[in-house]
Amino acid sequence: MSEYYCFTTFPDIYWDFYAKKMVESYVEYFPKDCDLHVYVDTREDKDFKKYMIANNVHVYHYYNSCPDLIDFKNRNYDRTFNNFKPFQETLDDRSVKSKFRWQAYKFAYKAFVIIRELQLTRKKKAVWLDADMFFDQPIDYKWLDYLLNDKDIAFMDRRPNRFPETGFVIWDTESTNFSTFLYHYKKCYENDHLFNLREWHDAVAFEYSIIESEKEGLETNNLSLDKEGKMTSHSHVQATGILAERMDHIKGKRKQIGYSAERVK
């Protein structure tokens, strides 16, 4: 019986653009007893049958499942980059130009799915998958265990120079330090601690939760390493590190061509 389950979210309008490819490749390459839980971002009560392409794909209406997102938005509707003039003056030019770094609400969709699924702890090992990735080689449990490496969390760590890449993350929900991570991550959104951090998106909330949990003994495995065990120097670590053997993450403009030109298999 599988110890793993996976989860993701995407807007309904992007199903044909990229999410369909992700779900179809998941069904093809992941074990048949590994469930994928999909949260579809739509305001409408649609027939979700088109997403349920296999018995191990389970679909949920985002707003019915994660109502806390609406509360988060309502509390913080005025916390936008343009409303924080004194705050802007403390930033360097790169941070000012990269306004995505302050789009708290946009990137909270992912965060609230992670919180919900980690609280449910459906199985021992939980895996987050960004919906704009796809798989082209078999993903088996032996390889997933290799990635986790008996640690509490496996993710693409880019510290100290950059915040983590969180397109693919594995948690051991039965580890002694799991609850510590979840406590800090929830605090970022349920208590609005996110706005005390250096940037206001989910990757920095994840970084904060890792740092605070490491103080209490959390152990992590870095998936930013290449085949030789060296830290990849490229910013697109999912295309140049160990994960590139079996998957691609078509971040940003890469969606237009359907693959990462940087990918090293």
Side-chain angles (χ1 to χ4, degrees):
M1 185 175 180
S2 170
E3 288 188 326
Y4 285 88
Y5 71 100
C6 303
F7 46 98
T8 190
T9 187
F10 56 82
D12 171 70
I13 59 172
Y14 291 144
W15 170 249
D16 290 318
F17 187 28
Y18 60 79
K20 181 179 180 182
K21 184 174 184 179
M22 182 275 205
V23 176
E24 288 180 341
S25 66
Y26 180 96
V27 170
E28 180 176 0
Y29 289 109
F30 268 73
K32 303 307 179 189
D33 62 348
C34 188
D35 292 332
L36 174 64
H37 299 272
V38 176
Y39 291 77
V40 180
D41 169 15
T42 176
R43 294 286 183 177
E44 302 174 17
D45 289 324
K46 291 192 173 184
D47 184 348
F48 288 163
K49 288 183 180 178
K50 72 176 181 180
Y51 311 112
M52 301 168 66
I53 62 175
N55 290 335
N56 62 334
V57 178
H58 311 278
V59 184
Y60 312 92
H61 189 288
Y62 188 101
Y63 297 99
N64 291 344
S65 302
C66 302
D68 289 346
L69 174 72
I70 303 301
D71 294 336
F72 177 79
K73 178 183 180 182
N74 291 339
R75 288 197 310 273
N76 300 296
Y77 70 93
D78 62 341
R79 290 182 188 257
T80 64
F81 180 84
N82 291 331
N83 284 350
F84 278 68
K85 298 296 183 182
F87 175 69
Q88 291 180 42
E89 294 173 0
T90 69
L91 304 176
D92 56 30
D93 289 341
R94 178 170 176 268
S95 295
V96 171
K97 291 177 182 178
S98 302
K99 291 188 178 181
F100 79 89
R101 299 167 186 269
W102 320 107
Q103 294 175 324
Y105 180 59
K106 176 180 178 180
F107 294 105
Y109 283 81
K110 175 177 177 176
F112 280 101
V113 169
I114 288 175
I115 290 169
R116 172 177 163 78
E117 284 293 330
L118 294 185
Q119 288 181 144
L120 288 172
T121 56
R122 300 177 191 271
K123 293 186 178 179
K124 175 175 168 56
K125 295 169 183 175
V127 185
W128 165 264
L129 306 171
D130 271 8
D132 57 350
M133 66 171 65
F134 65 87
F135 312 96
D136 54 16
Q137 295 294 326
I139 310 292
D140 54 64
Y141 295 131
K142 182 178 180 180
W143 192 65
L144 292 174
D145 284 341
Y146 165 71
L147 296 179
L148 186 56
N149 194 28
D150 294 323
K151 304 299 184 184
D152 301 313
I153 302 178
F155 69 101
M156 290 165 278
D157 194 350
R158 302 187 296 179
R159 293 177 291 172
N161 299 320
R162 295 176 66 89
F163 52 76
E165 166 59 61
T166 59
F168 180 97
V169 183
I170 308 176
W171 292 264
D172 181 347
T173 67
E174 295 182 5
S175 75
T176 56
N177 298 299
F178 169 74
S179 60
T180 304
F181 171 88
L182 183 55
Y183 166 78
H184 289 295
Y185 195 71
K186 287 174 61 179
K187 182 172 74 172
C188 289
Y189 290 92
E190 294 182 356
N191 298 345
D192 298 337
H193 185 67
L194 178 70
F195 300 101
N196 296 324
L197 305 182
R198 61 190 178 96
E199 295 172 11
W200 299 346
H201 52 87
D202 63 286
V204 170
F206 185 94
E207 176 189 59
Y208 163 78
S209 305
I210 289 289
I211 291 172
E212 293 303 306
S213 301
E214 284 176 336
K215 296 174 183 178
E216 301 183 46
L218 183 84
E219 295 185 345
T220 66
N221 194 37
N222 188 1
L223 303 181
S224 294
L225 307 182
D226 61 21
K227 294 179 181 179
E228 298 178 355
K230 298 178 181 178
M231 182 73 172
T232 176
S233 59
H234 201 285
S235 61
H236 189 8
V237 293
Q238 193 160 343
T240 54
I242 190 171
L243 297 179
E245 297 176 7
R246 308 193 188 196
M247 65 186 76
D248 194 2
H249 190 183
I250 48 176
K251 296 165 63 72
K253 295 180 180 179
R254 298 172 184 85
K255 294 180 181 64
Q256 303 295 334
I257 60 173
Y259 64 91
S260 298
E262 311 94 325
R263 189 179 180 193
V264 180
K265 298 176 71 174

